[in-house]
Amino acid sequence: MVEKFDYLVVGAGFAGAVLAERLAEELGKKCLVVDRRDHIAGNAYDKVDASGILIHAYGPHYFRTNSTRVVDYLSRFTQWHQVTYRVLVWTDGKYWQFPINLNTFEQYLGRSSTSEEMEATLAKWRENFPNPKNSEEMVLSQVGRKFYEMFFQNYTRKQWKRDPSELDASVCGRIPVRTNRDDRFVSETFQALPRDGYTAMFRKILDHPRITVRLSTDYRELPPTVKYDRMIYTGMIDEFYDFSEGRLPYRSMRFEPETLAREFFQPAMQVNYPNDHEFTRVVEIKHATGQKSPVTTIVREYPQDFGPGKEAYYPVPAPDSRQLYEKYAAKAKQEKNVVFVGRLATYRYYNMDQVVAMALTEFEKLKGTEANN
Ligand code: FAD
Ligand code: UDP
């Protein structure tokens, strides 16, 4: 029996879920959302593990944004649990405040200091790159070589299997550097987690009479009886074109959870390990969710190459990958009935709020297209 939809939405992450909801609710479109994973929420998926702890299955997801449009939109589907995200780095046998701030500087000196002294010292340490071309130049121009080597060089090599000099300046440039005592991991005005978790929020976004969700379903394996007019595609763009232009690089990750019979394992929700171990960081999300329990679950993150059977978690922001991506983007532009949205489909190292904003903007464009039809 033929099943007819207005839109096929490939991927039930932020990009797909937001677009399906907008199309269904505002334009009355019938949407089929498929995801090849067995759950909704894409990489933002969270779940209660066997010990009863809510964990982020694919790495920590710290929601933050400066966009009231994005907060207003998502607030229709969730209440919020305000959190100030705090991260530490473990190196040289101790915990360091991170991102680098006046406290980090004092730890380094082993005595108290002032913003003025820190500014003056950084002015000496900084290397002169007025327009940093890559992540190495970026960090050297902000804090100089000592802190680059302590905090950035090896973490970045481990995470990306590339030297910081081979990555866009924006990769390490994501991390703020401060000369005051502000110890927030990120600087955005709104920092909060969905009160009942991401998956619960996604359930509400997708709970619509005109939205059908099918999990463990690759769109390429849908039976020919499923018909649709347009497609929203949020998967890997090179895969969509059967890698015709060559393979885009991605970074994958192995997430290893461990439950411990104690209230907390570490002093912060995230500890980064630039210079020790094969993992990059240990996340104890319980610090951020505020969950009370006598046990705790930590997740260690081991970066790995992307390949068959592995998830593509990160596009690799670098000149070579961008050049290749542009070839796919040119093809995508020719498509009349497929819209490419999200982190993998547009090959951008985007945070959740940026993906939501992108989906809302795409929706406005689609609204225009639909109105002209
Ligand atoms: P995804 O969530 O990847 O969704 C795409 C979906 O499409 C996937 O579920 C996939 O299974 C599905 N799919 C692909 N191909 C097919 C196919 N052929 N058929 C069916 N389904 C298909 N952002 C923040 O804002 N803060 C953070 O702290 C943060 N931390 C992160 C930590 C890690 C380790 C990672 C990997 C990402 C992090 N992010 C964070 C980024 C965040 O995960 C993304 O911005 C967001 O999830 C992207 O949503 P998306 O819909 O574009 O993609
Ligand atoms: N980074 C680093 N040392 C750290 C933390 C981050 O060198 O202790 C660099 C690294 O290249 C990393 C990038 O900054 O990939 C962005 O860090 P973020 O924590 O934002 O990464 P994500 O959460 O997206 O994995």
Side-chain angles (χ1 to χ4, degrees):
M1 208 181 67
V2 170
E3 292 177 282
K4 179 77 180 70
F5 296 91
D6 299 306
Y7 281 84
L8 170 65
V9 180
V10 179
F14 270 103
V18 168
L19 267 161
E21 187 280 333
R22 292 289 66 218
L23 289 162
E25 175 63 17
E26 207 175 307
L27 298 186
K29 299 293 178 190
K30 215 176 142 200
C31 299
L32 172 62
V33 179
V34 298
D35 203 299
R36 60 184 169 195
R37 302 192 204 182
D38 63 1
H39 58 73
I40 56 172
N43 284 337
Y45 176 62
D46 54 15
K47 62 173 181 189
V48 175
D49 71 5
S51 65
I53 304 295
L54 181 77
I55 58 165
H56 291 184
Y58 304 108
H61 277 67
Y62 307 133
F63 187 82
R64 73 285 194 134
T65 189
N66 290 321
S67 163
T68 45
R69 176 171 77 135
V70 168
V71 175
D72 288 349
Y73 173 74
L74 291 177
S75 299
R76 296 183 208 171
F77 310 101
T78 189
Q79 292 184 300
W80 298 97
H81 168 69
Q82 305 292 329
V83 203
T84 303
Y85 305 120
R86 287 205 176 79
V87 168
L88 296 172
V89 161
W90 174 269
T91 187
D92 300 324
K94 62 177 177 195
Y95 291 111
W96 297 77
Q97 283 250 315
F98 195 78
I100 294 167
N101 68 5
L102 177 55
N103 301 333
T104 323
F105 184 63
E106 288 184 338
Q107 285 185 286
Y108 180 77
L109 295 178
R111 61 168 171 82
S112 60
S113 178
T114 59
S115 297
E116 293 70 33
E117 189 191 7
M118 183 174 179
E119 307 266 8
T121 307
L122 288 185
K124 280 188 227 144
W125 287 356
R126 280 185 193 125
E127 297 188 16
N128 187 26
F129 296 106
N131 297 304
K133 286 189 300 297
N134 56 55
S135 274
E136 181 185 43
E137 292 185 359
M138 183 73 190
V139 178
L140 292 176
S141 74
Q142 289 175 310
V143 294
R145 192 161 294 275
K146 284 178 212 293
F147 282 168
Y148 171 69
E149 287 175 357
M150 265 176 85
F151 295 113
F152 291 95
Q153 188 174 40
N154 293 333
Y155 185 106
T156 301
R157 286 179 177 163
K158 214 182 329 184
Q159 166 76 11
W160 301 96
K161 217 194 199 179
R162 281 187 182 214
D163 193 78
S165 60
E166 300 167 278
L167 290 161
D168 285 354
S170 58
V171 174
C172 289
R174 283 164 62 84
I175 307 293
V177 172
R178 306 189 183 104
T179 53
N180 57 21
R181 296 195 194 274
D182 182 354
D183 64 351
R184 295 169 309 151
F185 184 50
V186 293
S187 305
E188 281 87 345
T189 48
F190 183 86
Q191 303 186 19
L193 293 171
R195 196 197 56 192
D196 301 320
Y198 288 98
T199 307
M201 178 176 78
F202 272 80
R203 234 176 262 128
K204 289 210 172 127
I205 297 175
L206 291 166
D207 178 19
H208 194 283
R210 284 186 285 275
I211 298 178
T212 305
V213 178
R214 271 183 215 155
L215 299 175
S216 308
T217 304
D218 193 309
Y219 81 100
R220 290 164 301 192
E221 286 153 19
L222 283 169
T225 46
V226 173
K227 309 274 186 211
Y228 51 89
D229 297 331
R230 288 217 166 93
M231 185 196 289
I232 308 287
Y233 182 79
T234 76
M236 291 154 45
I237 190 166
D238 54 344
E239 187 182 21
F240 183 87
Y241 289 109
D242 292 322
F243 312 103
S244 61
E245 307 299 313
R247 281 180 184 266
L248 281 166
Y250 297 92
R251 202 70 181 126
S252 191
M253 204 59 95
R254 197 172 83 243
F255 300 100
E256 279 199 2
E258 184 184 357
T259 297
L260 301 151
R262 53 202 270 200
E263 196 182 359
F264 285 105
F265 168 76
Q266 61 188 25
M269 66 176 191
Q270 180 177 316
V271 177
N272 293 351
Y273 290 84
N275 303 312
D276 298 88
H277 306 293
E278 304 218 325
F279 47 82
T280 47
R281 55 191 180 189
V282 178
V283 174
E284 188 171 28
I285 206 69
K286 200 181 160 202
H287 283 280
T289 57
Q291 187 177 359
K292 303 273 178 273
S293 170
V295 302
T296 190
T297 300
I298 57 169
V299 183
R300 295 187 177 86
E301 292 185 24
Y302 295 85
Q304 58 180 7
D305 293 343
F306 172 63
K310 296 190 183 137
E311 286 287 341
Y313 290 114
Y314 293 86
V316 181
D320 54 314
S321 56
R322 197 166 30 258
Q323 225 177 13
L324 180 52
Y325 166 70
E326 288 306 332
K327 294 190 186 170
Y328 285 111
K331 288 186 139 195
K333 232 174 149 181
Q334 304 300 315
E335 303 285 347
K336 292 266 177 297
N337 293 317
V338 187
V339 180
F340 294 80
V341 198
R343 179 149 141 145
L344 299 173
T346 65
Y347 202 73
R348 289 192 198 144
Y349 185 10
Y350 262 10
N351 289 328
M352 296 176 280
D353 62 319
Q354 296 171 298
V355 171
V356 173
M358 185 194 255
L360 293 175
T361 300
E362 278 304 328
F363 171 69
E364 291 306 319
K365 285 192 213 155
L366 278 170
K367 213 161 106 176
T369 316
E370 293 281 354
N372 293 334
N373 275 346

